[in-house]
Amino acid sequence: MDLDVFVTAHHTEWDRLDQLLGRGRRLTGAEADELVALYQRTSTHLSLLRSTAPDPALIARLTQLVARARSTVTGSRRASWRDAGRFLTAGFPAAVYRSRRWWIPTALLSVLVAAVIGWWIAAHPEVQASIGASSDLREMTRPGGQYETYYSSHPAASFAAQVWTNNAQAAAMCLVLGAFLCVPVLWILFVNMLNLGVGIGLMSSAGRLDTFLGLVLPHGLLELTAVFVAAGTGLRLGWTLVDPGPRTRRAAVAQEGRAALGIAVGLALVLFVSGLIEGFVTPSGLPTWARIAIGVAAEAAFLVYVYAWGGRAARTGERGDIESADQSAELPTAA
């Protein structure tokens, strides 16, 4: 291809496209149609130049021109407060609700594992001895010991921020690593339940299980629920790779992945609340019943939010995904 001849033949079209783009939204109907046609032709010209007569300066100009035209033709939409409101009132709770068949069994099985580990440690002194020296264990479990002072060892605000960061990181890992066929998620869950089971076992063996539960339940109900939701969603994402259902594997993973990303953002807010409870309520001087009542109220509020708002949104077709207008078109596949 003779580059000079090609430029001479088409430069007026490129200049006209540039002129129309410069007018922004002040286009008549005919001019808008002309812009679309010029965009399509210029895209073809750019493709031809890249494959037959690469000229860096010309390709750079046409690339910029095509990008501007694409943005004008396809349009762009900025996130708004409406999107945030839709996410909080419909998208996030609906996504959690839709994942309930994964995270509820995950929660029940995980709690059972923690309870079994706790019983095993409490009932077997030799297992306790393998965890640490008897003097160290007494220091951890005695009144005013490490299990109790842990929650008041730092200023409440900084402790809440630290707890929130750590828990949000664990939840995000469960969501992201679910794509690796679920195995890392199961390991993260087991480590968390092992730590909980050790605390149950050691404090139970010291006759202070009630104290331990009084410290854990205020923030732990909501915190563990968030972790279980993250783990269940991660497991669901991993299983989608194995069984995408009637959708193509690519479309299924993309859809579930976007929903999982939304759940990650929502759970960060949930864990922020549990972090506040752990930083300000758990170490407070409130009676144990009052601290537990606050934790139960926070947990109940979250479950009502998921089942009432999320269930209603899910029944109307909400999946926790981005709006259909913002999704990429999918090619039809043979049945």
Side-chain angles (χ1 to χ4, degrees):
M1 181 178 65
D2 190 315
L3 184 60
D4 293 333
V5 172
F6 188 83
V7 171
T8 301
H10 299 293
H11 76 90
T12 55
E13 294 175 305
W14 305 335
D15 293 340
R16 175 58 176 167
L17 177 58
D18 187 42
Q19 179 186 14
L20 292 174
L21 291 173
R23 296 185 58 185
R25 298 179 180 274
R26 301 186 304 274
L27 296 175
T28 64
E31 288 173 334
D33 291 339
E34 183 185 5
L35 187 148
V36 172
L38 289 172
Y39 160 60
Q40 294 172 333
R41 285 203 292 271
T42 304
S43 297
T44 303
H45 298 160
L46 178 60
S47 178
L48 287 172
L49 286 170
R50 282 175 171 167
S51 60
T52 59
D55 178 271
L58 182 58
I59 288 179
R61 181 199 172 192
L62 293 187
T63 298
Q64 183 183 36
L65 195 59
V66 167
R68 290 171 55 203
R70 182 185 298 113
S71 177
T72 300
V73 170
T74 61
S76 59
R77 188 176 66 84
R78 295 182 178 179
S80 64
W81 287 110
R82 171 183 168 274
D83 296 315
R86 172 182 172 271
F87 171 75
L88 291 175
T89 59
F92 171 57
V96 176
Y97 179 82
R98 288 182 58 248
S99 297
R100 69 193 185 282
R101 292 185 178 86
W102 286 86
W103 62 263
I104 291 178
T106 298
L108 296 176
L109 183 59
S110 298
V111 171
L112 178 61
V113 168
V116 169
I117 292 174
W119 167 83
W120 183 53
I121 292 174
H124 296 82
E126 67 276 11
V127 177
Q128 300 170 30
S130 68
I131 295 174
S134 57
S135 59
D136 293 335
L137 297 183
R138 282 195 300 271
E139 177 62 28
M140 292 173 61
T141 58
R142 68 175 177 82
Q146 294 177 12
Y147 271 117
E148 294 184 46
T149 58
Y150 167 76
Y151 296 101
S152 56
S153 58
H154 297 86
S158 62
F159 183 69
Q162 179 183 354
V163 167
W164 176 44
T165 302
N166 292 340
N167 290 334
Q169 183 180 28
M173 289 177 64
C174 285
L175 288 163
V176 173
L177 296 179
F180 294 91
L181 299 180
C182 308
V183 175
V185 178
L186 296 176
W187 174 251
I188 293 172
L189 268 180
F190 176 74
V191 170
N192 278 272
M193 293 305 101
L194 177 62
N195 291 333
L196 178 60
V198 168
I200 292 173
L202 293 180
M203 290 293 276
S204 180
S205 66
R208 307 192 68 233
L209 181 60
D210 56 340
T211 300
F212 181 76
L213 294 179
L215 292 169
V216 170
L217 289 179
H219 64 274
L221 289 172
L222 188 59
E223 176 185 301
L224 287 176
T225 299
V227 172
F228 296 147
V229 169
T233 304
L235 293 173
R236 177 178 181 170
L237 179 60
W239 186 250
T240 301
L241 285 169
V242 179
D243 180 16
R247 300 167 291 180
T248 65
R249 182 169 281 102
R250 179 178 179 181
V253 172
Q255 187 177 71
E256 299 302 333
R258 289 191 298 264
L261 181 60
I263 288 178
V265 174
L267 289 182
L269 300 176
V270 175
L271 289 169
F272 177 73
V273 175
S274 72
L276 290 179
I277 296 174
E278 187 168 359
F280 291 92
V281 176
T282 299
S284 71
L286 291 172
T288 300
W289 67 266
R291 290 186 278 112
I292 293 178
I294 291 173
V296 171
E299 173 74 358
F302 177 70
L303 293 179
V304 169
Y305 169 65
V306 168
Y307 275 84
W309 290 18
R312 182 172 62 247
R315 286 188 289 274
T316 63
E318 177 66 58
R319 302 178 62 89
D321 199 353
I322 58 177
E323 295 190 54
S324 57
D326 297 325
Q327 298 178 21
S328 299
E330 296 178 13
L331 293 175
T333 56

